[in-house]
Amino acid sequence: AQTVTQSQPEMSVQEAETVTLSCTYDTSESDYYLFWYKQPPSRQMILVIRQEAYKQQNATENRFSVNFQKAAKSFSLKISDSQLGDAAMYFCAYRTFNTGTASKLTFGTGTRLQVTL
Amino acid sequence: DSGVTQTPKHLITATGQRVTLRCSPRSGDLSVYWYQQSLDQGLQFLIHYYNGEERAKGNILERFSAQQFPDLHSELNLSSLELGDSALYFCASSVRLVGTDTQYFGPGTRLTVL
């Protein structure tokens, strides 16, 4: 079974600075998808960014980018120019490529990000 | 707004009772997933339906059941409720079955069992 580990329960960053959230995963599959979801105080789960394992290029979405290291099974999220609205819980998630099995999301335990002035 | 709706937003009930949570997926989405978010278990997959058929089960208790109707909305039924069932229940939808599809989450239903 796949597992996702987020070893940083809490992180803090100053406004306008850059922060990196860590995620590692364990899988025996070669094709899969990785995601970062954001959960603000409203509790809504919002997709931040996703990465296909077969793509070597790291995904970017505006101020959000990932560092995907397939061999190391590492998938970190970098937030540049942090804003107060980035304060939230961030979850790393794994999804199998295989459509014959459950295409569920397997989540890590989350990292709470504080943004300070 | 993800386009996925869930009702009710909050539900407070007593142990031993039965409740039904409802989810309407985004227009055109055939897949519906249910997840439970609790303090001790984190975010866990419960069950997946695709176009009315159950496709996969996760850590779903026997006291829980779900279905997806012809209009593609889904209901999660929780019975013989226990204190430990208190959690945030999310529904997510995606267009198809494939892993490339993004799952869009609803706002969740917060269930409190007293």
Side-chain angles (χ1 to χ4, degrees):
Chain A
Q2 297 84 17
T3 58
V4 177
T5 302
Q6 293 179 251
S7 58
Q8 306 154 316
E10 288 190 15
M11 292 282 285
S12 184
V13 63
Q14 281 195 317
E15 204 177 13
E17 296 296 306
T18 296
V19 65
T20 299
L21 309 184
S22 301
C23 172
T24 58
Y25 57 94
D26 189 26
T27 183
S28 58
E29 299 177 330
S30 57
D31 288 321
Y32 47 87
Y33 302 89
L34 296 164
F35 304 83
W36 279 97
Y37 277 86
K38 168 185 176 181
Q39 187 178 40
S42 68
R43 297 296 205 161
Q44 176 81 49
M45 293 289 286
I46 302 164
L47 178 68
V48 175
I49 199 165
R50 80 174 203 184
Q51 174 80 42
E52 290 85 354
Y54 60 84
K55 287 186 179 178
Q56 291 190 337
Q57 189 171 8
N58 288 325
T60 24
E61 285 287 340
N62 302 314
R63 298 182 295 107
F64 299 87
S65 61
V66 298
N67 184 3
F68 173 50
Q69 302 287 330
K70 192 173 183 180
K73 294 180 183 173
S74 169
F75 182 61
S76 60
L77 174 70
K78 185 170 90 170
I79 307 174
S80 304
D81 186 26
S82 297
Q83 300 174 358
L84 292 176
D86 294 334
M89 196 76 161
Y90 286 82
F91 291 95
C92 179
Y94 173 101
R95 190 176 187 190
T96 183
F97 177 83
N98 185 352
T99 58
T101 60
S103 51
K104 64 177 182 178
L105 288 165
T106 299
F107 289 92
T109 50
T111 296
R112 183 170 303 283
L113 179 66
Q114 275 190 319
V115 181
T116 58
L117 292 170
Chain B
D1 185 358
S2 66
V4 180
T5 60
Q6 288 187 250
T7 55
K9 277 185 93 167
H10 302 278
L11 201 46
I12 302 174
T13 188
T15 53
Q17 295 298 304
R18 173 189 169 94
V19 297
T20 297
L21 312 184
R22 183 187 167 105
C23 168
S24 292
R26 296 185 321 153
S27 177
D29 283 3
L30 300 177
S31 267
V32 170
Y33 305 80
W34 286 96
Y35 293 87
Q36 178 195 58
Q37 185 177 28
S38 62
L39 281 174
D40 53 344
Q41 299 287 330
L43 264 162
Q44 290 206 70
F45 166 72
L46 294 178
I47 199 163
H48 170 210
Y49 277 84
Y50 175 76
N51 203 20
E53 287 187 19
E54 181 186 302
R55 295 294 302 211
K57 271 185 174 179
N59 299 321
I60 188 166
L61 299 169
E62 283 192 16
R63 300 182 285 107
F64 295 1
S65 65
Q67 53 184 325
Q68 186 180 27
F69 294 87
D71 67 352
L72 300 176
H73 91 272
S74 178
E75 292 180 357
L76 179 66
N77 300 295
L78 316 176
S79 61
S80 303
L81 285 167
E82 301 175 0
L83 296 177
D85 298 328
S86 296
L88 190 53
Y89 291 84
F90 285 108
C91 160
S93 74
S94 68
V95 176
R96 300 164 295 171
L97 280 172
V98 297
T100 48
D101 284 356
T102 294
Q103 291 185 22
Y104 294 92
F105 282 74
T109 292
R110 178 168 292 285
L111 173 67
T112 303
V113 182
L114 300 174

